[in-house]
C-alpha cells in the first residue's frame, strides 16, 4: 500500500511556527502541531467567541471562516493553516456597529443561552454570501450544520431570513477586521516542554492617552483591602511614594515603559499562574498623590482578557514605629482571567499586594532597589501562599467546629 509521505514530522513537544491573519491582524504563533485552530484561537489568542461543543465536527459551534469559507475550527490543526485568513465572530461586527446578522439575532430573539450563536452567525454569514438568493424554506436544511441545544430554531430562522431578504447580494463584509482589532499577547517566555508561546506581530498601540479611564458601573469583580506593616518609617515610605518609577518597580513583573504627561503612564505587567501566563499592556493615571496617599486608576489588556482597577494606597505611622501601608482596590476583570473566580483572584491579588508592600519596605529602607521588569510573580509563590492560607483557614474552621457534621 502506498501511503502519502509526511512532508514534515515534529516531536510532541516541538513547536511549529504558524503565520495567520486573524480578523485582519497578522499573528505569529509558535505551538505544538497537535493544537487545533479552535484551541489556538481560544487558548493562545484569547478569542473565546469561537465556542467548542463536540470537538468532533458535529455541533458547528466552532464555525469560523477560513479563507472566506465556513469551516469547523475543531477539525483543523492550526499548523496546517499557515498563511490562511481566519475570520472569527469577534471580527463580524463592532460594539458600536453590529453586523446586520448580529442585529437581526437580537431583534428576533434568536438566542436563548447563546452558546450556539457564534456558530450560527458565522454559518449564516457564509450561507448568505455564497447563496444570497436562499429561500426561507431552505434555511432549516442549509443551517442544519449548527445545533442549538436550546432548540431556539424558529427565531434563528426568522433572524437569518430577515437579513436574507433585506440584504440580497448586499450583505456587509465583517466590520471588525483590521489591524489591532485583535488583542495580541506579547510573547510569554515559554519554558519547559509543555509550554507554549503565542506572539502577535502587530505594532504596539500608539502612545496616546485617553481622556479618562472609565470603570464599569456595578460591583467590581473583586474588592480587596489589605494592610501591611512596614518596618520603614513614613518619611522613608514617602520617598518611594514620591518616585513613581521606583514605586512601579516594587510591583513584581510590572514595568513602566512610557511617561505620557500629566500623571499618565504606560506600562506592562506580567503574571504567571500555573499554565497561564498573562502579559498586560496598559496605562495608569495617578489622580491624587501626596506623601501618604496615592489614588490611581489603571487599565490593562491581555490576549485573554482585561483588567480595570481603582487603587487607593495610604501610608500611616503606627505606634512603636514603622508604617501601615493600606491598599484598597476595586478590580474589574474580563475574559479568561475572570474565569479564575472571585475568591482565587482575590487571594492572588492580596498576595501580590503583600509582595509589593515588602518591596516598598526594602526600597524605603534603601536595603534593595528593585529593578525594572523584574520577573513576574511566580506561579509557585502566589499559588502556594494562597493554598497554604486556605489550608490554614480550613484547619481553623475544623478546630472551631464550624464544619461539624449534622
Ligand atoms: S466543536 Fe467543532 S463542530 Fe462541535
Ligand atoms: S441558544 Fe442555547 S444552544 Fe442555541
Amino acid at each position: 500500500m502506498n501511503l502519502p509521505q509526511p512532508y514534515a514530522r515534529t516531536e510532541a513537544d516541538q513547536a511549529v511556527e504558524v503565520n495567520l491573519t486573524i480578523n485582519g491582524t497578522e499573528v505569529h504563533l509558535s505551538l505544538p502541531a497537535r493544537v487545533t485552530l479552535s484551541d489556538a484561537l481560544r487558548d493562545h489568542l484569547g478569542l473565546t467567541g469561537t465556542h467548542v461543543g463536540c470537538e468532533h465536527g458535529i455541533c458547528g459551534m466552532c464555525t469560523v471562516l477560513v479563507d472566506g469559507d465556513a469551516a469547523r475550527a475543531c477539525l483543523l490543526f492550526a499548523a496546517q493553516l499557515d498563511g490562511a485568513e481566519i475570520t472569527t465572530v469577534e471580527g463580524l461586527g463592532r460594539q458600536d456597529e453590529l453586523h446586520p446578522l448580529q442585529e437581526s439575532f437580537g431583534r428576533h430573539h434568536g438566542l436563548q443561552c447563546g452558546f450556539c450563536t457564534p456558530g450560527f452567525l458565522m454559518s449564516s454569514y457564509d450561507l448568505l454570501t455564497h447563496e444570497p438568493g436562499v429561500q426561507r424554506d431552505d434555511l432549516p436544511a442549509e443551517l442544519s450544520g449548527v445545533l442549538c441545544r436550546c432548540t431556539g430554531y424558529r427565531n434563528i430562522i426568522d433572524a437569518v431570513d430577515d437579513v436574507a431578504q433585506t440584504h440580497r447580494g448586499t450583505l456587509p463584509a465583517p466590520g471588525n477586521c483590521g489591524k489591532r482589532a485583535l488583542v495580541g499577547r506579547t510573547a510569554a517566555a515559554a519554558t519547559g516542554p509543555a509550554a507554549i508561546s503565542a506572539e502577535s506581530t502587530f505594532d504596539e498601540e500608539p502612545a496616546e492617552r485617553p481622556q479618562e479611564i472609565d470603570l464599569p458601573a456595578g460591583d467590581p469583580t473583586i474588592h480587596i483591602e489589605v494592610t501591611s506593616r512596614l518596618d520603614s518609617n513614613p518619611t522613608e515610605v514617602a520617598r518611594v511614594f514620591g518616585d513613581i518609577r521606583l514605586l512601579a518597580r516594587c510591583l513584581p513583573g510590572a514595568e513602566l515603559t512610557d511617561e505620557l504627561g500629566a500623571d499618565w503612564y504606560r506600562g506592562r505587567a506580567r503574571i504567571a499562574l500555573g499554565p497561564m501566563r498573562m502579559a498586560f499592556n496598559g496605562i495608569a493615571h495617578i489622580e491624587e498623590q501626596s506623601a501618604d496617599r496615592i489614588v490611581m486608576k489603571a487599565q490593562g489588556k491581555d490576549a485573554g482578557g482585561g483588567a480595570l482597577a481603582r487603587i487607593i494606597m495610604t501610608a500611616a505611622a503606627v505606634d512603636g514605629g514603622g508604617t501601615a501601608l493600606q491598599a484598597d482596590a476595586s478590580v474589574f476583570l474580563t475574559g479568561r482571567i475572570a474565569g479564575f473566580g472571585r475568591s482565587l483572584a482575590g487571594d492572588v491579588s492580596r498576595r501580590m499586594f503583600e509582595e509589593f508592600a515588602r518591596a516598598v519596605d526594602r526600597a524605603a529602607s534603601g536595603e534593595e532597589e528593585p529593578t525594572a521588569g523584574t520577573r513576574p510573580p511566580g506561579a509557585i509563590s502566589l499559588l502556594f501562599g494562597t493554598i497554604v492560607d486556605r489550608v490554614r483557614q480550613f484547619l481553623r474552621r475544623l478546630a472551631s467546629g464550624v464544619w461539624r457534621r449534622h
Side-chain angles (χ1 to χ4, degrees):
M1 186 191 292
N2 287 329
L3 291 174
Q5 292 297 309
Y7 77 91
R9 183 188 179 93
T10 59
E11 298 303 322
D13 58 358
Q14 190 183 332
V16 178
E17 308 297 314
V18 188
N19 291 301
L20 299 168
T21 302
I22 298 179
N23 298 336
T25 295
E26 288 175 16
V27 174
H28 172 79
L29 292 166
S30 175
L31 35 74
R34 64 175 178 275
V35 174
T36 60
L37 175 60
S38 51
D39 285 349
L41 292 169
R42 292 179 55 86
D43 300 342
H44 300 272
L45 294 166
L47 294 173
T48 53
T50 298
H51 290 175
V52 174
C54 64
E55 293 189 272
H56 282 76
I58 296 167
C59 70
M61 301 293 143
C62 63
T63 303
V64 297
L65 304 181
V66 176
D67 291 333
D69 293 322
R72 306 286 210 231
C74 72
L75 293 185
L76 295 165
F77 292 114
Q80 76 188 98
L81 297 169
D82 193 34
E85 284 205 26
I86 315 289
T87 307
T88 71
V89 71
E90 287 91 345
L92 196 56
R94 296 202 307 265
Q95 270 187 353
D96 58 347
E97 192 176 347
L98 294 179
H99 190 273
L101 276 165
Q102 292 171 309
E103 279 186 342
S104 187
F105 268 65
R107 208 168 42 248
H108 289 277
H109 308 293
L111 61 147
Q112 290 177 47
C113 77
F115 191 68
C116 66
T117 310
F120 267 113
L121 286 171
M122 301 315 287
S123 225
S124 47
Y125 176 84
D126 175 75
L127 174 66
L128 299 189
T129 47
H130 286 86
E131 281 187 58
V134 67
Q135 298 302 308
R136 182 187 174 95
D137 287 350
D138 296 327
L139 287 179
E142 293 288 355
L143 295 173
S144 61
V146 187
L147 304 180
C148 172
R149 40 185 198 181
C150 296
T151 63
Y153 293 106
R154 193 178 299 267
N155 292 357
I156 292 171
I157 299 296
D158 287 347
V160 178
D161 183 43
D162 189 343
V163 179
Q165 294 198 38
T166 52
H167 289 84
R168 294 250 180 245
T170 62
L171 189 66
N176 196 28
C177 290
K179 216 165 155 62
R180 294 197 187 95
L182 175 69
V183 178
R185 177 190 295 187
T186 42
T191 55
I196 298 157
S197 71
E199 182 180 9
S200 68
T201 53
F202 57 84
D203 299 336
E204 292 276 317
E205 293 280 336
E208 62 206 25
R209 61 168 202 252
Q211 295 289 317
E212 176 71 74
I213 294 176
D214 285 324
L215 296 182
D219 293 338
T221 316
I222 45 179
H223 179 235
I224 58 162
E225 279 183 45
V226 193
T227 304
S228 294
R229 169 88 183 261
L230 314 187
D231 292 334
S232 312
N233 65 45
T235 311
E236 292 167 331
V237 173
R239 183 180 68 83
V240 183
F241 268 35
D243 182 345
I244 193 67
R245 287 195 166 267
L246 178 58
L247 194 69
R249 291 203 298 271
C250 291
L251 190 64
E255 190 181 355
L256 216 63
T257 56
D258 212 355
E259 291 191 29
L260 306 177
D263 292 324
W264 284 84
Y265 302 89
R266 184 176 294 282
R268 294 191 266 270
R270 291 172 296 139
I271 181 169
L273 278 173
M276 218 166 170
R277 291 186 172 82
M278 285 161 285
F280 291 98
N281 286 312
I283 49 171
H285 179 215
I286 308 282
E287 294 184 328
E288 190 188 318
Q289 183 173 14
S290 66
D292 60 359
R293 183 177 151 93
I294 291 179
V295 179
M296 65 185 290
K297 278 187 189 165
Q299 69 179 38
K301 233 176 182 181
D302 165 86
L308 282 136
R310 182 167 194 265
I311 303 162
I312 302 171
M313 283 189 293
T314 43
V318 286
D319 292 344
T323 307
L325 183 61
Q326 189 188 39
D328 183 316
S330 297
V331 185
F332 299 83
L333 300 175
T334 57
R336 185 176 50 146
I337 187 175
F340 268 163
R342 284 166 192 262
S343 169
L344 184 58
D347 285 353
V348 168
S349 305
R350 260 184 288 280
R351 197 148 287 278
M352 280 182 69
F353 180 74
E354 285 161 8
E355 281 195 26
F356 167 76
R358 279 194 286 277
V360 170
D361 205 8
R362 288 196 295 274
S365 65
E367 189 187 314
E368 186 189 327
E369 284 276 302
T371 50
T374 45
R375 64 188 169 77
I380 292 180
S381 67
L382 284 177
L383 280 182
F384 184 71
T386 301
I387 289 165
V388 166
D389 282 353
R390 289 183 173 209
V391 169
R392 279 202 193 114
Q393 281 170 17
F394 176 72
L395 291 176
R396 267 201 299 273
R397 279 183 197 157
L398 268 187
S400 64
V402 172
W403 286 0
R404 226 176 268 132
R405 275 172 173 277
H406 295 287

